[in-house]
Amino acid sequence: MSNWKTLLLRIGEKGPEYGTSSDFKDHIETCFGVIRREIERSGDQVSPYLLQCAEQLPHKIPLYGTLIGLLNLENEDFVRKIVESVQTNFQVALDSGNCNSIRILLRFMTSLLCSKVIQPASLIVVFETLLSSAATTVDEEKGNPSWQAQADFYVICILSSLPWGGAELAEQVPDEIERVLVGIQAYLSIRKHSSSSGLNFFLKGESENSLSEKDFVEDLWDRTQSLASNGWKLDSVPRPHLSFEAQLVAGKFHELRPIKCMEPPSPPSDLSGENIGKQKHDALMRYPQRIRRLNIFPANKTEDVQPIDRFVVEEYLLDVLLYLNGCRKECASYMANLPVPFRYEYLMAETLFSQILLLPQPPFKTLYYTLVIMDLCKALPGAFPAVVAGAVRALFEKISDLDMESRTRLILWFSHHLSNFQFIWPWEEWAYVLDLPKWAPKRVFVQEVLQREVRLSYWDKIKQSIENASALEELLPAKAAPAYKYSLEEGKEKTEEHQLSAELNRKVKEKQSARDMMSWIEETIYPVHGFEVTLTVVIQTLLEIGSKSFTHMVTVLERYGQVFGKLCPDNDKQVMLLSQVSAYWKNNAQMTAVAMDRMMGYRLVSNQAIVRWVFSPENVDQFHVSDQPWEILGNALNKTYNRISDLRKDISNITKNVLVAEKASANARAELEAAESKLSLVEGEPVLGENPGKMKRLKSTVEKTGEAEVSLRESLEAKEALLNRALSETEALLLLLFQSFSAVLKERLPEPTKARSLEDLKPEDENSSAMEVDTENENPKKRSEIGEREQWCLSTLGYLTAFTRQYANEIWPHMEKLKLEVFSGEDVHPLFLQAIFSALQIPLQ
Amino acid sequence: MASLFKEQAKLSAYRDRRFSGTQEEFEEALRTSSTVYIGNVSFYTTEEQIYELFSRAGEIKKIIMGLDKNTKTPCGFCFVLFYSREDTEDAVKYISGTILDDRPIRVDFDWGFQEGRQWGRGRSGGQVRDEYRTDYDPDILFSGYGKLVQKELEAQRQLVDYGTGSLGGSYPAPAPSNYERRAGPRGGGGYGQGGSNRHGRGGDFHRKRQRDDDRYGRDNSRRNSDHETRRDTDQDMRPEKNPRFRESGDSDDDGEDDRKRS
């Protein structure tokens, strides 16, 4: 990398580029000295790279802003072009709804104002345009209040750029900025408080009325007000331009052109609840809330910083996570070395965990945050591991209130994290969970973490890792082989079934074809022994043959899957098949799940059969004591969903290709026509084939491109047909899923009059513990224990909410049908509906 | 997303000698592949452990363990095939350099598995120094006593034998290899697949040529592999192999034209 690029990239960092100095002023001067010369030499390259740095390393924006301010003193033209690019990019971002670009570029412009590059009044115009768009959107008559998410986002962008230039704005254009703030206050009074009860990490106690809680915009407004009342002074944003103030005042301002905001879509013509709900959902998908604050540490532990400083640090961290995703070393190093003068380990942990647990889903896979936490533990070995452990303890204490989806992610993260640190954990602290009933959320949590640890490692290793709490061995999964019925051990009785199994085994070894095997089964076993024995022998034997590894199992299914398919052509029989699989792999949750997953992939069992099996009595009884049925249900939904997304992706690709092919074919035709007409115009040449070679070539191109177009269109039609079929399969699946949930819940939930909210399911004296923040002085065991049936209801409702929320996108299009068939009627339990509606963020009447 | 720090040439530093196309084609294969190569794996690590870890990046299509030609047991590398490219990228980004079975594994894009590539290509060589090895070396993590306990535990585990069992024949003998002397499964130096610390057996020096196995001989296609090889060996119009979710009414649908690479 050339020297000037490295200097731009590494500005503000400790490292070889800037020698021993860690003073921002020195860095800016050094960098400025090199860049001003570089502009002469390769001016065209400097500006895009500089912008790229500012956009992707937003925590250094004040440094880049100051640098540009200095360049402005010498080379107005260069800076004018930069400002123009920023504006163009900003408009493109607005037009395409690119949230991150909009947010960062507005911040960058604010910073350019500090270094006297941008005229303050023209930035105010930008703010006011955004604000007026927001106000129009939430106006019932002129706008479309379902699209409030966009309006909120615009206002958040304004507020969140103020830490970078509030002081300058207040100094230079005090009346105008005041007008903007008044405008924001007015906006706050007309917008609706956004209730996000379905997206909370924790089940809220009644004492915490969700209406009194501030939503993100209201909260940021509070923080901004306190910043304003503090004279716009904050610690988390460096102000390097102050060191150059004397020079910078000589700079010439550049003006910003007016911008245009995206118009929200028009409100649905039919103002039914479904249509509005669907639009709201779409808006939230486009403008998702970046963070939901997770307050897990007691106030005396977290860093004592101004409210706005907390916000800024969160922004820094989220932006590093976003822009340095995939750059492992840089990501960890920037996270650990933010340009702030205070410590922020607790804040960093809360931010990271808030992302892992974020609902409906975080921007990245849990795997990514897992990696970042590992790397930070290694980068800050003295400080961070203890904070992470503290976060785990705090979350563990609240595990019974944690959302089911978040809880599952926590289990996956924690087991994976420990697997990278030799599985060391003070398990003795949690040994007491053995005294709790087997459905106690803490106990189930420990058990599921251990289960995942064993999957990542091996039984003996995990057994060894819990040595200091060896009683917890009881919660380890069984250490046992598959439950094979027909092993030919010495001294064991050999039944006729044993012989059949041995015969089957021999046929596999001889590589008999599936068809031959099927006719043997149909002729020899089925007529004599009946369906159940036949199924047991076949499943047991084939699974045993494939038991050695994942690949062995896949090979068996690949070769003999048809045998299962033939034996179990309908859902009823497939449910029996699944029970057999579960019986064979009863000691191995992972293989049970994997086998069922593959069988569904081969369509040996349908997704509906899996739902029915999951809701069969043997599993329903496990809903609150084990994650296994939920894992299998989740896999089946996930696979169904992935298939739809695959098809959608294919269709969008083919559609693009069709357009290209259309163009190519039209071009070829036009070229041919042009050639034909051209020839006819040639005078004195009676023969048309002046250049028969060329004509032939053109004709063949027309033919070829035409064929290509037709064949693409055909494959597009084929894919669309597949998608339609997949969507109707999904509808049937969703109906069955919600009906199944509704039925099991109805059987077990208390009378609607006795249980109107989830709180009614919890032990009575627990209301007092809703306020417990400081658990140190309290004995955790003292809390009253929840009854088995109540916990079953809470777990099942929790998963109902989790699945509904996860697949909300796929559920909305089928809402009418679902309402008609499952969500209405007198015998539908209100808590069942509440679980679904909160997940879809539909307000309950 | 982050383009500032991406080193362009970093797709893979290794060039598999079995890849018969040009460098550009090789890079294109890496850019579009949904296969990863995983190195520095413990010999005892099972497919199920790999499944558990890698399925956190996305649905897994297939796992192929790298096997010792002679013992038919794992020898320290494997391939994982995903259904989607995005998941493949995430596996490389987020799993490479992390610990599996106490070893920092490396995960790289691979140009596509072909029958034959599961066999170790030579005698055991030294382990390539992993990118993150210096930071996260297991020897640093395990000091003295812990390391001993570790080894004792390891010794209790069993290597999965892929050579025997009722499915015998699903793992055919490896085709004769011209690469025996090369260090790793991917040729081009440095990819040793076995420090003796991982298996407690000495290296293998089996060089006897084995009979050509026709069924798996036609693997010269440099295109992705799995698909094409099957086309060659299987009858046409067979339902998709290792489907994520097969079409209903399967055998009527080919449903795989789209999987073909262009």
Side-chain angles (χ1 to χ4, degrees):
Chain A
M1 205 188 278
S2 33
N3 181 37
W4 66 270
K5 283 193 169 181
T6 321
L7 283 174
L8 272 181
L9 187 64
R10 297 292 180 188
I11 193 166
E13 294 175 32
K14 288 179 199 120
E17 289 80 9
Y18 286 96
T20 50
S21 169
S22 58
D23 182 15
F24 286 163
K25 185 163 188 260
D26 294 346
H27 284 214
I28 292 170
E29 276 168 349
T30 310
C31 191
F32 171 62
V34 173
I35 295 296
R36 63 200 282 207
R37 270 176 278 125
E38 195 58 38
I39 293 173
E40 312 285 314
R41 213 176 309 155
S42 47
D44 293 352
Q45 290 178 37
V46 177
S47 130
Y49 191 73
L50 179 51
L51 288 181
Q52 207 186 351
C53 287
E55 270 203 68
Q56 296 184 14
L57 303 171
H59 60 278
K60 297 196 199 179
I61 276 183
L63 301 176
Y64 295 121
T66 307
L67 176 68
I68 294 172
L70 292 174
L71 292 169
N72 193 33
L73 301 172
E74 305 207 337
N75 196 337
E76 255 170 48
D77 198 43
F78 176 79
V79 173
R80 183 179 49 78
K81 282 184 193 148
I82 286 194
V83 173
E84 271 169 20
S85 309
V86 171
Q87 277 210 87
T88 312
N89 296 351
F90 187 60
Q91 188 59 53
V92 168
L94 283 170
D95 294 343
S96 57
N98 182 341
C99 296
N100 293 310
S101 280
I102 299 174
R103 187 172 46 80
I104 298 294
L105 287 170
L106 194 61
R107 182 187 305 174
F108 189 39
M109 292 190 264
T110 311
S111 171
L112 287 176
L113 170 126
C114 298
S115 50
K116 316 281 186 224
V117 170
I118 283 182
Q119 200 197 11
S122 66
L123 184 66
I124 294 284
V125 173
V126 172
F127 285 166
E128 285 182 331
T129 314
L130 289 166
L131 190 52
S132 108
S133 158
T136 313
T137 299
V138 295
D139 186 287
E140 302 227 348
E141 276 159 33
K142 286 182 276 177
N144 179 5
S146 327
W147 214 248
Q148 185 180 308
Q150 178 183 297
D152 280 353
F153 172 72
Y154 285 168
V155 171
I156 288 169
C157 284
I158 301 172
L159 287 175
S160 71
S161 60
L162 293 181
W164 278 264
E168 282 70 15
L169 284 164
E171 186 195 307
Q172 296 169 29
V173 280
D175 297 343
E176 287 85 349
I177 190 66
E178 188 55 34
R179 205 170 63 218
V180 169
L181 292 175
V182 169
I184 291 176
Q185 188 140 40
Y187 169 78
L188 281 164
S189 66
I190 50 170
R191 75 187 275 279
K192 288 208 174 65
H193 171 85
S194 77
S195 148
S196 52
S197 58
L199 303 175
N200 289 336
F201 298 121
F202 299 106
L203 190 66
K204 287 272 153 54
E206 268 172 42
S207 51
E208 292 170 78
N209 188 342
S210 65
L211 279 176
S212 66
E213 202 159 281
K214 309 248 164 166
D215 68 22
F216 191 79
V217 185
E218 293 159 353
D219 172 81
L220 183 54
W221 173 241
D222 283 358
R223 285 169 202 258
T224 309
Q225 278 184 311
S226 94
L227 172 66
S229 65
N230 192 26
W232 299 97
K233 280 202 282 281
L234 73 170
D235 296 324
S236 51
V237 177
R239 296 161 63 74
H241 57 280
L242 294 180
S243 322
F244 300 93
E245 211 161 23
Q247 293 137 275
L248 289 172
V249 283
K252 183 179 172 290
F253 283 136
H254 300 263
E255 292 222 16
L256 293 169
R257 285 189 309 269
I259 52 149
K260 204 177 157 294
C261 298
M262 199 195 259
E263 298 249 343
S266 31
S269 48
D270 166 18
L271 287 175
S272 67
E274 285 97 90
N275 286 332
I276 290 179
K278 169 111 186 48
Q279 266 209 349
K280 266 191 183 162
H281 174 77
D282 290 345
L284 282 169
M285 292 285 105
R286 288 219 52 174
Y287 299 94
Q289 188 172 318
R290 289 186 97 194
I291 188 172
R292 269 165 223 286
R293 251 169 225 108
L294 183 67
N295 295 307
I296 44 177
F297 296 113
N300 59 0
K301 279 216 170 152
T302 44
E303 296 85 8
D304 181 25
V305 298
Q306 260 198 84
I308 195 70
D309 282 319
R310 172 165 185 144
F311 169 78
V312 170
V313 170
E314 286 165 353
E315 285 278 293
Y316 285 153
L317 294 170
L318 295 180
D319 284 334
V320 172
L321 285 170
L322 173 69
Y323 289 107
L324 295 165
N325 156 46
C327 306
R328 191 173 166 189
K329 284 178 179 163
E330 285 78 13
C331 178
S333 139
Y334 285 133
M335 299 240 341
N337 298 294
L338 291 179
V340 296
F342 48 81
R343 296 186 67 129
Y344 54 90
E345 286 91 5
Y346 284 93
L347 186 44
M348 182 152 70
E350 283 187 340
T351 307
L352 279 163
F353 282 99
S354 82
Q355 294 292 292
I356 290 183
L357 308 179
L358 187 68
L359 299 169
Q361 70 259 318
F364 298 100
K365 288 173 186 157
T366 302
L367 203 50
Y368 175 42
Y369 306 106
T370 311
L371 180 72
V372 172
I373 292 178
M374 283 175 203
D375 285 348
L376 285 172
C377 283
K378 285 160 186 160
L380 305 166
F384 205 58
V387 176
V388 171
V392 174
R393 289 191 183 98
L395 287 166
F396 179 72
E397 285 310 318
K398 299 175 94 169
I399 202 79
S400 62
D401 285 336
L402 189 60
D403 176 87
M404 278 298 174
E405 163 81 26
S406 303
R407 171 189 159 280
T408 307
R409 290 192 214 142
L410 185 67
I411 290 168
L412 289 173
W413 164 75
F414 190 43
S415 56
H416 191 182
H417 181 80
L418 290 180
S419 81
N420 273 259
F421 294 93
Q422 302 160 262
F423 296 102
I424 292 171
W425 181 254
W427 288 105
E428 65 278 9
E429 285 176 18
W430 293 350
Y432 72 88
V433 301
L434 278 175
D435 305 332
L436 303 176
K438 67 183 196 309
W439 58 84
K442 285 182 178 170
R443 181 178 163 133
V444 178
F445 176 82
V446 171
Q447 162 199 311
E448 295 301 325
V449 169
L450 291 173
Q451 157 79 243
R452 290 287 175 172
E453 283 194 350
V454 171
R455 291 196 200 182
L456 285 167
S457 182
Y458 51 99
W459 197 91
D460 292 294
K461 172 97 183 164
I462 302 310
K463 164 82 170 58
Q464 183 211 347
S465 78
I466 55 170
E467 248 173 5
N468 48 5
S470 54
L472 286 177
E473 186 180 336
E474 200 183 321
L475 297 184
L476 283 183
K479 186 201 185 187
Y484 183 46
K485 282 186 167 176
Y486 309 119
S487 78
L488 297 171
E489 278 168 45
E490 295 275 328
K492 259 195 158 179
E493 190 201 1
K494 290 186 187 72
T495 63
E496 199 176 344
E497 289 172 31
H498 278 82
Q499 279 163 15
L500 290 170
S501 169
E503 179 73 10
L504 193 58
N505 203 22
R506 197 175 52 74
K507 287 177 186 296
V508 173
K509 211 165 210 164
E510 288 167 0
K511 292 199 159 189
Q512 230 181 50
S513 74
R515 186 174 302 172
D516 290 346
M517 188 181 292
M518 199 55 228
S519 31
W520 174 72
I521 291 168
E522 274 174 350
E523 282 157 24
T524 324
I525 314 186
Y526 203 129
V528 186
H529 303 274
F531 178 73
E532 273 186 55
V533 171
T534 309
L535 187 67
T536 311
V537 169
V538 172
I539 303 272
Q540 281 269 332
T541 311
L542 291 182
L543 286 183
E544 170 75 10
I545 291 168
S547 65
K548 204 181 261 181
S549 74
F550 168 72
T551 298
H552 284 83
M553 185 188 70
V554 170
T555 309
V556 169
L557 290 178
E558 194 77 51
R559 273 197 209 157
Y560 298 109
Q562 291 158 272
V563 176
F564 297 138
K566 258 282 182 54
L567 269 177
C568 305
D570 54 45
N571 278 345
D572 288 341
K573 295 213 165 91
Q574 287 169 14
V575 173
M576 296 168 81
L577 171 62
L578 290 165
S579 296
Q580 286 290 344
V581 173
S582 141
Y584 177 81
W585 281 119
K586 70 175 184 194
N587 296 322
N588 190 325
Q590 186 193 13
M591 285 308 280
T592 311
V594 173
M596 291 182 177
D597 185 64
R598 289 291 138 171
M599 290 179 132
M600 176 175 151
Y602 286 112
R603 284 208 188 247
L604 303 175
V605 296
S606 67
N607 45 19
Q608 296 202 28
I610 294 183
V611 172
R612 281 183 46 187
W613 176 76
V614 167
F615 283 92
S616 65
E618 63 193 283
N619 286 314
V620 171
D621 290 342
Q622 301 291 309
F623 277 4
H624 54 320
V625 293
S626 160
D627 283 5
Q628 176 161 26
W630 302 117
E631 181 190 358
I632 290 164
L633 183 60
N635 285 347
L637 296 176
N638 185 39
K639 216 178 191 53
T640 307
Y641 171 73
N642 281 341
R643 166 168 169 59
I644 299 176
S645 348
D646 282 357
L647 283 168
R648 285 192 184 125
K649 256 182 234 157
D650 289 349
I651 288 175
S652 113
N653 283 338
I654 302 176
T655 311
K656 273 183 218 143
N657 292 342
V658 166
L659 288 177
V660 173
E662 253 173 26
K663 224 177 183 178
S665 141
N667 281 348
R669 275 195 311 269
E671 222 176 303
L672 179 64
E673 273 165 31
E676 278 170 349
S677 62
K678 204 175 185 180
L679 282 173
S680 62
L681 282 177
V682 174
E683 278 173 327
E685 283 286 345
V687 191
L688 262 173
E690 179 228 6
N691 189 349
K694 189 179 176 189
M695 290 303 289
K696 200 177 167 192
R697 188 164 50 77
L698 287 174
K699 272 183 190 155
S700 111
T701 314
V702 168
E703 237 167 71
K704 265 190 224 151
T705 52
E707 275 167 23
E709 190 191 336
V710 169
S711 107
L712 273 170
R713 279 187 194 287
E714 278 169 1
S715 65
L716 182 61
E717 273 167 34
K719 285 281 165 192
E720 277 166 349
L722 288 178
L723 179 62
N724 284 334
R725 194 158 66 184
L727 288 176
S728 61
E729 276 181 33
T730 305
E731 183 172 82
L733 179 71
L734 289 173
L735 278 171
L736 177 66
L737 178 71
F738 286 118
Q739 276 158 354
S740 308
F741 265 113
S742 179
V744 294
L745 281 163
K746 206 185 315 174
E747 274 173 30
R748 289 165 181 80
L749 277 170
E751 290 272 303
T753 49
K754 286 182 192 147
R756 297 222 62 91
S757 83
L758 292 180
E759 283 303 302
D760 297 337
L761 295 170
K762 306 202 119 194
E764 283 188 3
D765 55 344
E766 221 205 9
N767 283 344
S768 59
S769 69
M771 292 306 293
E772 51 141 18
V773 187
D774 184 3
T775 47
E776 273 167 307
N777 306 323
E778 244 178 89
N779 184 351
K781 275 188 248 181
K782 247 189 180 167
R783 293 172 63 167
S784 57
E785 279 160 16
I786 189 165
E788 174 159 24
R789 175 176 285 219
E790 285 71 27
Q791 185 55 50
W792 184 95
C793 292
L794 283 173
S795 299
T796 307
L797 287 167
Y799 273 106
L800 173 59
T801 298
F803 286 128
T804 309
R805 186 174 45 219
Q806 195 179 355
Y807 297 105
N809 251 339
E810 299 307 318
I811 291 169
W812 274 112
H814 307 289
M815 202 54 187
E816 225 169 300
K817 179 128 187 179
L818 287 167
K819 266 205 167 157
L820 201 68
E821 304 206 1
V822 204
F823 302 162
S824 58
E826 280 174 15
D827 54 346
V828 178
H829 199 286
L831 285 181
F832 165 75
L833 288 183
Q834 190 186 310
I836 292 164
F837 287 2
S838 80
L840 296 173
Q841 297 190 262
I842 305 175
L844 267 181
Q845 274 80 26
Chain B
M1 213 153 264
S3 46
L4 285 173
F5 295 95
K6 289 258 163 70
E7 298 148 58
Q8 289 305 310
K10 238 200 87 187
L11 268 175
S12 172
Y14 299 90
R15 172 80 161 87
D16 188 343
R17 299 247 186 145
R18 278 201 186 177
F19 188 87
S20 56
T22 62
Q23 180 65 26
E24 287 71 39
E25 285 169 323
F26 181 66
E27 279 169 16
E28 176 64 12
L30 293 184
R31 255 194 301 278
T32 54
S33 154
S34 48
T35 302
V36 292
Y37 166 92
I38 303 152
N40 198 28
V41 181
S42 158
F43 288 14
Y44 296 95
T45 298
T46 63
E47 288 187 33
E48 291 66 49
Q49 285 173 272
I50 289 162
Y51 191 98
E52 176 68 21
L53 179 58
F54 282 81
S55 62
R56 292 166 185 229
E59 267 196 278
I60 289 171
K61 180 173 188 172
K62 202 173 174 183
I63 298 172
I64 298 130
M65 294 301 272
L67 299 178
D68 183 305
K69 276 178 300 193
N70 309 301
T71 59
K72 312 280 189 291
T73 53
C75 65
F77 69 97
C78 71
F79 301 92
V80 170
L81 278 64
F82 288 95
Y83 290 103
S84 94
R85 170 68 189 180
E86 205 195 326
D87 296 344
T88 315
E89 287 175 7
D90 286 349
V92 173
K93 279 194 290 192
Y94 307 144
I95 303 182
S96 195
T98 66
I99 306 286
L100 176 61
D101 254 346
D102 304 317
R103 306 181 62 82
I105 54 172
R106 65 172 300 146
V107 183
D108 272 323
F109 292 113
D110 186 84
W111 56 274
F113 175 76
Q114 287 187 341
E115 186 54 49
R117 289 188 67 205
Q118 72 267 47
W119 303 109
R121 283 189 201 171
R123 58 164 147 171
S124 308
Q127 186 63 53
V128 72
R129 193 183 67 81
D130 188 270
E131 207 180 334
Y132 293 99
R133 227 8 221 297
T134 41
D135 308 339
Y136 313 135
D137 193 290
D139 290 347
I140 298 168
L141 295 175
F142 297 113
S143 47
Y145 172 74
K147 200 168 176 179
L148 268 176
V149 175
Q150 184 56 31
K151 282 203 165 153
E152 278 168 26
L153 270 182
E154 282 273 286
Q156 289 169 17
R157 301 173 79 185
Q158 278 191 338
L159 290 170
V160 177
D161 183 352
Y162 283 79
T164 58
S166 301
L167 277 175
S170 59
Y171 292 90
S177 164
N178 297 322
Y179 301 88
E180 296 210 350
R181 278 165 179 277
R182 225 160 259 129
R186 303 170 64 167
Y191 261 90
Q193 74 277 20
S196 51
N197 56 325
R198 270 187 282 172
H199 55 147
R201 289 177 274 120
D204 249 309
F205 304 100
H206 183 87
R207 291 191 198 151
K208 199 163 47 172
R209 289 200 152 229
Q210 310 221 0
R211 244 181 308 138
D212 217 331
D213 187 331
D214 283 2
R215 286 167 303 170
Y216 298 96
R218 280 168 282 162
D219 62 356
N220 298 327
S221 139
R222 58 184 168 71
R223 278 294 164 215
N224 192 348
S225 62
D226 192 31
H227 178 80
E228 304 268 331
T229 317
R230 173 165 44 82
R231 276 275 157 122
D232 287 350
T233 50
D234 288 5
Q235 297 166 320
D236 274 347
M237 301 306 283
R238 282 271 300 270
E240 186 188 354
K241 253 195 172 182
N242 303 301
R244 189 200 276 253
F245 191 11
R246 188 171 274 173
E247 288 305 337
S248 52
D250 35 23
S251 51
D252 308 330
D253 272 314
D254 197 350
E256 43 188 301
D257 296 38
D258 55 307
R259 296 216 173 262
K260 215 184 274 180
R261 290 159 183 282
S262 49

